[in-house]
Amino acid sequence: MPTEPLPTLDPQEAALLSAAVRELSLSARTRARILVFARGAAEWAQADKIGAEHLLDAIQFCTLAEAP
């Protein structure tokens, strides 16, 4: 199954993701899943790049999905 490389983020979005990973103690796997979900959200919204709103949606979705 071919996989696409994870997208690169602008510095502001990268800082947002780093803060979320640090504050929520997220794993590398969850970080990667957030990026994949955010890329899908950006594509669905027909955005040129991943924005903060896509990252925030992805963080919320992926952290809720891990809740017991």
Side-chain angles (χ1 to χ4, degrees):
M1 178 165 123
T3 60
E4 295 180 30
L6 293 176
T8 57
L9 301 173
D10 288 342
Q12 184 178 7
E13 283 77 21
L16 172 67
L17 181 57
S18 293
V21 167
R22 185 176 52 256
E23 293 295 320
L24 299 172
S25 301
L26 301 176
S27 66
R29 178 177 234 160
T30 301
R31 182 188 182 279
R33 193 168 48 222
I34 288 169
L35 284 171
V36 169
F37 186 90
R39 177 176 48 204
E43 288 174 1
W44 187 75
Q46 298 178 345
D48 294 336
K49 60 181 182 172
I50 295 174
E53 64 276 8
H54 307 123
L55 272 176
L56 292 171
D57 285 344
I59 291 166
Q60 182 178 19
F61 178 79
C62 290
T63 56
L64 286 176
E66 287 187 353

